Amino acid sequence: MLLPDTCPVASNTSAQPALSWSIVGHGAIGLLAASRLQLAGYKPGLWLRQPAPVNIQFQQQPLQFLPAVPPLSAVLVPVKSYAVLEAVTTLLPHLTSDAQLVLSHNGMGNIEQVLPLLAPQQGLWFLTTTHGALKQAQSILHTGLGQSVLAPLNRAAQAHSGAVSAAMDCALGPVALTEDIQPFLWQKLAINAVINPLTALHNCHNGELAQPQYQQHISAILHEVCQVAAAAGYALHYEVTLERIHAVIQSTAANFSSMQQDIVHQRRTEIEAINGYIVAQAARFKLAVPHNAQLLHLLLQLQQGYGR
Ligand code: PAF
């Protein structure tokens, strides 16, 4: 289904000057963000391995994106968790000394690796989103109207808060700005730790997970995630989180999860940053997480050889 896209901000309304945005890659969420930015009056460029103009249709409108031209002052990095480090390392020599970088992906564990790579005036942000997008041939479909939570991750980011949140509000808004992204990341991690591996292993739509035969497994996976989150200092309420998971299963019932799609298309999955992160954190806190460990093992086996 196509959804109406409205970004009321046709020009930058923040007190800070509008930043010049670049988007890494040509994944569905990145192109959705680029399209919405362009329609709002920004002129986003695409940062691609092989720079070339990209033409797409978005809401019956033909759009063209040109390659991003360094130095880059603001970059959205909506790449898979396992590609973040390489993307950022490649970007580093092309960033301005006060560039703003926005990471956005499933899973956890990258922020800690990226922060020390940046110069003192370079800002790091995380944006977690529930928007859904699908790339079909030359078109971008906005398949799930969602919202996003955005947080600055260092001091250098806070200084650019107005300009970054204004742009992200256009790209993947409505955006809620928060000081602490961790609780939101744990919530999203719990959702992904259940839906992604189960739909990939059973090769099914998200909606299939509402069936009674999956409930015991869902409960066991989630109990482990809650234990690990608590040990890490982020209390996830089991019942509330279970309800959230079922709300996502319901609202995305007809969709395939990103991990199911990765397996179907024989691509590497984000399992290491999702259930793998839970297993790694559990080891740190000496907790047993057999269900998450089994999912990690099964998915690693399934994806063996894909995209490494
Ligand atoms: O990765 C995904 O597919 C999505 O994050 C989610 C929320 C599980 C919906 O499919």
Side-chain angles (χ1 to χ4, degrees), residues 5-233:
D5 268 80
T6 47
C7 175
V9 190
S11 60
N12 176 51
T13 54
S14 99
Q16 293 150 7
L19 295 161
S20 169
W21 284 86
S22 306
I23 317 277
V24 177
H26 44 53
I29 286 287
L31 287 178
L32 173 69
S35 303
R36 288 172 46 122
L37 279 174
Q38 191 164 108
L39 294 181
Y42 290 83
K43 290 187 175 56
L46 294 188
W47 183 257
L48 304 171
R49 279 207 180 119
Q50 278 146 14
V54 170
N55 295 297
I56 58 154
Q57 287 273 337
F58 178 65
Q59 307 211 312
Q60 279 96 44
Q61 301 192 58
L63 299 179
Q64 185 177 63
F65 302 106
L66 296 175
V69 181
L72 311 177
S73 57
V75 189
L76 174 61
V77 191
V79 302
K80 297 273 194 182
S81 51
Y82 52 79
V84 170
L85 211 53
E86 194 204 320
V88 172
T89 310
T90 311
L91 282 166
L92 284 178
H94 305 287
L95 297 177
T96 59
S97 59
D98 61 351
Q100 303 297 304
L101 240 60
V102 182
L103 305 182
S104 183
H105 54 80
N106 281 335
M108 292 176 71
N110 278 311
I111 293 174
E112 302 82 326
Q113 295 177 317
V114 172
L115 269 174
L117 301 178
L118 300 179
Q121 302 306 320
Q122 293 175 333
L124 189 65
W125 296 78
F126 199 98
L127 178 139
T128 166
T129 186
T130 58
H131 280 283
L134 190 68
K135 200 160 94 175
Q136 256 180 2
Q138 298 290 93
S139 297
I140 282 297
L141 303 180
H142 193 177
T143 50
L145 192 57
Q147 54 204 4
S148 304
V149 178
L150 176 71
L153 303 173
N154 61 4
R155 246 169 217 264
Q158 277 155 359
H160 293 265
S161 200
V164 172
S165 55
M168 289 302 102
D169 211 34
C170 285
L172 294 165
V175 157
L177 199 58
T178 178
E179 280 305 304
D180 185 7
I181 198 72
Q182 292 296 327
F184 296 93
L185 292 183
W186 277 102
Q187 262 172 41
K188 184 84 193 304
L189 190 75
I191 294 168
N192 288 131
V194 167
I195 297 179
N196 294 33
L198 291 184
T199 50
L201 288 172
H202 297 284
N203 192 19
C204 62
H205 286 109
N206 293 354
E208 172 76 13
L209 301 183
Q211 297 299 317
Q213 68 266 31
Y214 297 106
Q215 302 322 305
Q216 221 181 330
H217 202 182
I218 291 177
S219 165
I221 300 163
L222 180 58
H223 269 299
E224 292 178 2
V225 177
C226 290
Q227 267 186 300
V228 176

